[in-house]
Amino acid sequence: MAHSVIAPRILCIGIPVRDLIFRVETVPARGSKANASHLAEICGGNALNAAIAIARLGGRVFFAGPMGDAGETSSRFILERMEAEAIETTHIVRMPGLTTPVSAIMIEPSGERTLTIYRDPALSKVQLPDADALLADCRAVLVESRCAAFATSLCTEARRRGIAVIVGVDRAMSLQDGLLTAASHLLFASEQVQETAGTADDGEALKRLAALTPAFLAATRGPRGTIWLNEAGELEETPAVPVQAVDTLGAGDVFHGAFTLRLAEGGDVRQALQFAAAAAALKCTRHGGGLAAPQRIEVEEFLSMSPAATLERAPRL
């Protein structure tokens, strides 16, 4: 699969998280206890998982967003791992007296995950560095939807400069959310697109949102693939690549990262969606959340071995 000789530089905006992951046979009932068969401590968060995927897939990635006090343990833990993944951390903003988010995650044998997270609301009061510093030599911006409070103005400026802005949506958005119109591409999860648009049908939800934003709109549906609107306003589907999943944690984030990188390399949305589907599928075959994101050569080999029907455009609905 051809891609740029010079790796594109991509900005990821988000709030990093320290993840404690427990493998369990089943999620314990309320008030009960369960033994875990495995414990892992990793870094996470939507944009950070995507950034790891971008770096492993061949992009140059740098990160902006808030982290806790310079003296607290979680932020030091995360920064070490970001640097090990070759993610530039110069533009991370430390927030005195605050705590970097921490989550506890239970993974079942099917790969399904259940989690709880502590995220200090004060982290959203961060002020990002100057737009000129962040957008210089930047080919694309990938932002978590929860970062609208401090990232919308930067994303608007990025679009003014002709830079793609991809928003990974993992919770319902307000119809007045500035990122709806500041984005060039909105990647929802199925549940979130339905809740945002107020309908139980993914396709209808996308069509309703298309009346509010000029952005490309898609909804990911796990093993059912991705549904999206083409330039003519028609619904199309990109199939998922079938795999035996053992850990779905971070799969959507890997999808967002791979999609963003392929776009930044000059691919069209169909190529980006196929590439992202393969990267996310590979991630699901191994434990480790976002740190299980695949390398570029793995994705290209996986695509080359996938049935042709998987890679072709699905019929319009």
Side-chain angles (χ1 to χ4, degrees), residues 54-127:
I54 292 169
R56 293 188 179 183
L57 294 169
R60 293 181 296 147
V61 59
F62 63 117
F63 200 96
M67 289 184 69
D69 192 276
E72 56 102 36
T73 303
S74 292
S75 59
R76 293 199 303 271
F77 172 86
I78 293 170
L79 283 171
E80 289 175 358
R81 279 143 187 82
M82 292 177 75
E83 291 166 3
E85 295 289 338
I87 297 170
E88 182 184 325
T89 60
T90 305
H91 301 295
I92 286 177
V93 181
R94 309 305 293 270
M95 305 286 282
L98 300 185
T99 301
T100 295
V102 178
S103 69
I105 303 165
M106 290 177 284
I107 306 287
E108 298 175 73
S110 67
E112 188 59 74
R113 84 285 188 276
T114 302
L115 64 87
T116 184
I117 183 171
Y118 171 74
R119 183 183 288 108
D120 194 325
L123 290 168
S124 293
K125 297 179 180 178
V126 66
Q127 290 189 345

Side-chain angles (χ1 to χ4, degrees), residues 19-306:
D19 290 335
L20 300 175
I21 301 177
F22 304 86
R23 289 189 215 167
V24 296
E25 283 301 312
T26 185
V27 175
R30 181 181 179 185
S32 66
K33 296 180 180 180
N35 291 322
S37 61
H38 182 81
L39 168 67
E41 185 176 14
I42 64 173
C43 58
N46 303 132
L48 180 48
N49 286 336
I52 292 170
I54 292 169
R56 293 188 179 183
L57 294 169
R60 293 181 296 147
V61 59
F62 63 117
F63 200 96
M67 289 184 69
D69 192 276
E72 56 102 36
T73 303
S74 292
S75 59
R76 293 199 303 271
F77 172 86
I78 293 170
L79 283 171
E80 289 175 358
R81 279 143 187 82
M82 292 177 75
E83 291 166 3
E85 295 289 338
I87 297 170
E88 182 184 325
T89 60
T90 305
H91 301 295
I92 286 177
V93 181
R94 309 305 293 270
M95 305 286 282
L98 300 185
T99 301
T100 295
V102 178
S103 69
I105 303 165
M106 290 177 284
I107 306 287
E108 298 175 73
S110 67
E112 188 59 74
R113 84 285 188 276
T114 302
L115 64 87
T116 184
I117 183 171
Y118 171 74
R119 183 183 288 108
D120 194 325
L123 290 168
S124 293
K125 297 179 180 178
V126 66
Q127 290 189 345
L128 295 179
D130 180 77
D132 287 337
L134 290 176
L135 299 178
D137 190 32
C138 180
R139 294 283 297 278
V141 177
L142 173 58
V143 59
E144 297 175 9
S145 59
R146 70 179 68 256
C147 297
F150 59 84
T152 298
S153 60
L154 178 74
C155 292
T156 300
E157 175 60 18
R159 293 300 301 131
R160 189 187 71 81
R161 299 186 187 195
I163 300 169
V165 173
I166 297 87
V167 179
V169 186
D170 76 332
R171 64 176 183 173
M173 297 179 74
S174 163
L175 297 182
Q176 287 73 48
D177 193 314
L179 286 178
L180 276 177
T181 51
S184 60
H185 298 74
L186 287 159
L187 304 179
F188 286 84
S190 174
E191 180 180 348
Q192 282 68 47
V193 78
Q194 292 180 19
E195 189 174 350
T196 298
T199 177
D201 180 78
D202 292 331
E204 178 61 26
L206 293 175
K207 289 181 177 180
R208 288 187 185 182
L209 293 178
L212 304 177
T213 175
F216 169 82
L217 292 164
T220 57
R221 303 173 297 173
R224 294 189 295 131
T226 301
I227 187 170
W228 51 283
L229 285 174
N230 64 22
E231 291 182 352
E234 300 167 326
L235 290 168
E236 298 194 27
E237 291 188 20
T238 297
V241 183
V243 294
Q244 182 63 51
V246 299
D247 179 1
T248 61
L249 178 66
D253 307 328
V254 170
F255 185 101
H256 298 159
F259 178 90
T260 300
L261 175 62
R262 195 69 192 94
L263 276 186
E265 293 174 342
D268 61 28
V269 291
R270 289 186 178 88
Q271 292 170 326
L273 288 168
Q274 291 165 1
F275 185 71
L282 279 171
K283 181 263 135 336
C284 289
T285 65
R286 58 193 72 165
H287 287 283
L291 285 177
Q295 301 290 333
R296 180 73 178 231
I297 190 171
E298 294 180 279
V299 176
E300 293 184 346
E301 290 179 350
F302 191 50
L303 282 169
S304 70
M305 293 186 296
S306 296

